[in-house]
């Protein structure tokens, strides 16, 4: 984990220098707040995509002049990082991509717009219908054009295919890591695995992939030796719900210092965001764009209605990771996840899987 | 106002008998929670549309087992009326139309579905783009088919035209009433005018139109005689924000017993919902459906991003109704209106229009 701890210690240091060097060399930086913004398209346009900071409280007194107090902590944090000028990723971004997933984000971007130089808002469907898919495809095509305009690069099939493969390799490395988390005793802590899932949004893609594969090489040896980071028999917990953005490690820390181990995250910063690869076999831009839409349209965010796939995925993950129970993490005032958490808990409890719903900031 | 007071006193009595008589005669009843559900299409299919109850607290202990506590009062009320079995409109409805306007309603319908016999959910756009309009049109076409299936009536151009005219007549009567509210001193109280706007969703359309026109005849005489319900010079207030469903009269009652008069409602139960007519000149079903989409796509609900028309409309209404100030009414936990209220207040204060933001249940 040395590499990831180093990345995190330098997340507002060396990684920013990287980005500024890239910018000096003419590369554009695109900041995003959501897994629905496809990195494949940004990379194909020769841009770097980074996740923007939203995991800690800054400048809350200023934020509450612009947003209602009962706004979710993720949204407030976004504004705090901007108003407190403490997110170098946001300041380094040539284009900030917002998206109308939930009401809070949708309306917040209207107020964020005037504070930043270039905000681009993506329209996201609310239903997994034919029209919903077609809206997502149109929006990804519009995003592709916006990236091309920003970078001056025409995204052709070859570029798109290569970008898809780059992101697929990241995803495959994460899949390998997830698979290794199925071992009992747990070969890696949930906090370390979450950190890896968080760095996913910040690091250079190739370097990230290599580093995850290196951890996996090490973990494979540990698993063979039955070497755990917690004693055999430690209760195994699956976390499900809202994303945990850097440096939000509060709940995992409490769980893992209380005698349990986290074995999986059903979250946007976790398996919900990384579950599916893009089929890279298409020959034309349109075929490849369709394949990208196919990947993201499967993301089972609670903003969709209905969202039955999420219930199945939580159950499948409980089984795959041999979890003894589930903790549902809901951000206070996050209507989609808080409302859906009641269905999730009911579905799990019907199958006798112990479930705890936590609502926090 | 005698008629409207009578309707309200019999809202769970004679009006329900009306509906049950209609049902006995083979007519279907469609219940709705939102102005985006077009009454024109329901009427064209020979169905009756009614607004469903969501303005009072019932069975809250039961509701909070199904919905998070920090859910807006409108949503909780919807469930309370169902769980407490105190909404005869809901019980009488052959089809209940939900819609994914805000996150709260979108996710709540997933839990309401299993409690009622037939829920139909309409997908609503979030942006006023070409795709947004096309989504609304497709959804209205799908709704038309669902109504036809429910009633067995094929909606042709003649039926649609007649239904459009019926609803236009309701709207024109409301426009006439609104115009009369511009008089100083105020010829009608805000509480009475709000009641009229609320009865809009419950009463038989023709009877409603006739009754509003009768009030207007009376008000015209009052205005000629300079006869006010409050003294000349009473401060005039415009209410803007979330809808007030029957029997939610709390805030208007406080305002009008505190020495001010309400002269207009920029609300779904008010001018936001009634501002525009449908152009009835189309010859084909498709032309008329397009005209219906044109009416509703102009509704400037805070769920749209961006939503600049609403700011202009509030300002126009302040001028038209000679308001001395604006009270923005936001339901607690209603992210779209609470977040937009900050923009509304800023726009008004920039024009030196005094504004008070109230957040309540």
């Amino acid at each position: 984990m040395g590499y990831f701890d180093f990345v995190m210690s330098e997340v507002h240091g060396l990684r920013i220098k990287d980005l500024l060097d890239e910018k000096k060399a003419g590369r554009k930086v695109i900041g995003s707040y959501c897994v629905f913004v496809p990195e494949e398209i940004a990379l194909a346009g020769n841009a770097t995509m980074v996740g923007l900071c939203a995991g800690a409280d800054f400048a809350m007194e200023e934020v509450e002049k612009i947003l209602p107090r009962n706004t979710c902590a993720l949204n407030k944090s976004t504004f705090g990082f901007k108003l407190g000028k403490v997110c170098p990723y946001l300041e380094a971004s040539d284009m900030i991509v917002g998206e109308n997933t939930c009401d809070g984000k949708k309306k917040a971007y209207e107020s964020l717009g005037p504070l930043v130089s270039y905000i681009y808002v993506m329209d996201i469907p609310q239903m997994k219908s034919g029209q919903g898919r077609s809206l997502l495809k149109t929006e990804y095509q519009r995003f592709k054009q916006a990236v091309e305009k920003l970078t001056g690069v025409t995204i052709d099939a070859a570029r798109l295919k290569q970008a898809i493969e780059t992101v697929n390799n990241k995803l495959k490395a994460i899949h390998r890591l997830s698979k290794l988390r199925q071992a009992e005793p747990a070969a890696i802590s949930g906090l370390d695995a979450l950190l890896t899932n968080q760095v996913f949004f910040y690091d250079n893609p190739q370097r990230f992939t290599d580093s995850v594969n290196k951890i996996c090489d090490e973990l494979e040896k540990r698993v063979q030796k039955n070497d755990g980071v917690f004693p055999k028999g430690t209760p195994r917990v699956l976390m499900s719900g809202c994303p945990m953005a850097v440096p939000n490690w509060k709940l995992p820390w409490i769980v893992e210092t209380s005698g349990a181990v986290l074995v999986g995250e059903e979250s946007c910063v976790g398996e919900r965001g990384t579950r599916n690869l893009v089929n890279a076999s298409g020959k034309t831009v349109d075929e490849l764009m369709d394949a990208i839409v196919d990947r993201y349209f499967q993301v089972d965010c609670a903003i969709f209605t209905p969202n039955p796939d999420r219930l199945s995925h939580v159950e499948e993950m409980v089984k795959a990771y041999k979890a003894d129970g589930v903790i549902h993490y809901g951000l206070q005032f996050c209507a989609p996840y808080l409302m859906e958490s009641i269905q999730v808990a009911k579905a799990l409890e019907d199958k006798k899987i112990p479930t705890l719903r936590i609502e926090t900031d």
Side-chain angles (χ1 to χ4, degrees), chain A:
Chain A
M1 283 301 296
Y3 172 74
F4 291 93
D5 291 338
F6 173 73
V7 168
M8 195 43 55
S9 72
E10 288 292 346
V11 74
H12 281 189
L14 280 179
R15 180 60 183 137
I16 297 301
K17 192 179 172 302
D18 264 9
L19 290 185
L20 295 178
D21 289 347
E22 287 182 11
K23 279 165 73 87
K24 249 182 231 159
R27 200 171 161 100
K28 300 290 181 183
V29 175
I30 298 176
S32 134
Y33 290 104
C34 183
V35 295
F36 279 107
V37 183
E39 187 177 10
E40 291 87 344
I41 294 174
L43 290 177
N46 199 34
T48 294
M49 200 161 91
V50 288
L52 294 174
C53 310
D57 289 348
F58 282 100
M60 280 298 128
E61 282 174 31
E62 291 306 309
V63 171
E64 291 179 354
K65 290 177 192 163
I66 299 184
L67 296 180
R69 284 202 180 152
N70 50 15
T71 299
C72 92
L74 210 67
N75 256 316
K76 280 175 145 181
S77 175
T78 298
F79 277 72
F81 273 100
K82 176 62 209 171
L83 296 171
K85 296 197 178 69
V86 283
C87 176
Y89 294 91
L90 197 145
E91 303 302 328
S93 294
D94 299 293
M95 175 187 192
I96 291 164
V97 186
E99 75 320 307
N100 53 16
T101 42
C102 62
D103 287 344
K105 287 168 101 182
K106 174 167 70 178
K107 299 306 283 184
Y109 294 127
E110 295 174 12
S111 303
L112 188 64
L115 304 176
V116 300
S117 57
Y118 177 22
I119 198 158
Y120 175 96
V121 178
M122 193 177 273
D123 195 9
I124 302 285
Q126 306 191 71
M127 279 181 144
K128 296 213 168 165
S129 57
Q131 314 182 73
R133 193 188 179 286
S134 131
L135 189 146
L136 194 64
K137 185 166 179 199
T138 311
E139 281 298 282
Y140 281 3
Q141 281 163 334
R142 188 169 70 91
F143 178 59
K144 175 176 157 287
Q145 285 162 12
V147 171
E148 288 174 330
K149 199 174 162 198
L150 180 76
T151 61
V153 171
T154 301
I155 298 177
D156 58 18
R159 287 187 158 278
L160 206 48
K161 204 181 195 72
Q162 198 186 351
I164 288 170
E165 276 161 5
T166 301
V167 178
N168 275 353
N169 288 339
K170 266 172 84 166
L171 296 169
K172 282 178 197 162
I174 286 288
H175 294 176
R176 194 179 156 208
L177 175 64
S178 300
K179 188 94 189 154
L180 286 160
R181 293 176 75 189
Q182 299 182 359
E184 157 67 5
I188 181 170
S189 72
L191 267 169
D192 279 347
L194 173 62
L195 181 61
T196 312
N197 274 312
Q198 289 171 332
V199 169
F200 184 94
F201 294 94
Y202 293 93
D203 201 6
N204 171 285
Q206 282 83 357
R207 196 166 60 197
F208 175 84
T209 303
D210 294 345
S211 307
V212 175
N213 279 320
K214 267 183 214 157
I215 309 182
C216 291
D217 294 342
E218 191 186 324
L219 289 179
E220 271 171 8
K221 288 177 202 146
R222 282 201 186 194
V223 170
Q224 277 175 345
K225 289 191 289 178
N226 255 328
D227 190 4
V229 288
F230 292 95
K232 209 176 153 90
T234 297
R236 299 167 67 88
V237 174
L238 182 78
M239 192 73 82
S240 172
C242 291
M244 290 174 184
V246 168
N248 178 4
W249 302 302
K250 181 171 71 168
L251 199 54
W253 188 86
I254 293 172
V255 171
E256 296 203 326
T257 55
S258 304
V261 57
L262 287 168
V263 291
E265 295 81 34
E266 191 280 315
S267 161
C268 300
V269 181
E271 202 156 317
R272 189 184 309 126
T274 56
R275 183 173 289 121
N276 301 298
L277 302 179
V278 174
N279 181 341
S281 69
K283 299 268 181 283
T284 65
V285 168
D286 195 58
E287 283 168 4
L288 293 165
M289 287 293 284
D290 258 324
I292 291 173
V293 174
D294 283 340
R295 174 187 163 199
Y296 288 96
F297 200 52
Q298 289 178 74
V299 173
D300 50 359
C301 175
I303 59 139
F304 284 98
T305 186
N307 193 31
D309 287 355
R310 186 169 164 233
L311 303 190
S312 319
H313 283 140
V314 179
E315 285 180 29
E316 284 165 19
M317 287 180 74
V318 167
K319 203 173 278 186
Y321 297 103
K322 306 179 194 82
D324 299 297
V326 174
I327 295 180
H328 191 283
Y329 166 71
L331 279 169
Q332 204 179 14
F333 312 123
C334 170
Y337 280 95
L338 292 180
M339 293 180 98
E340 197 163 281
S341 73
I342 297 174
Q343 295 175 46
V344 171
K346 197 183 170 308
L348 292 171
E349 283 163 2
D350 283 352
K351 304 228 162 164
K352 313 269 183 240
I353 300 162
T355 304
L356 177 66
R357 290 190 291 133
I358 300 268
E359 185 176 335
T360 182
D361 63 9

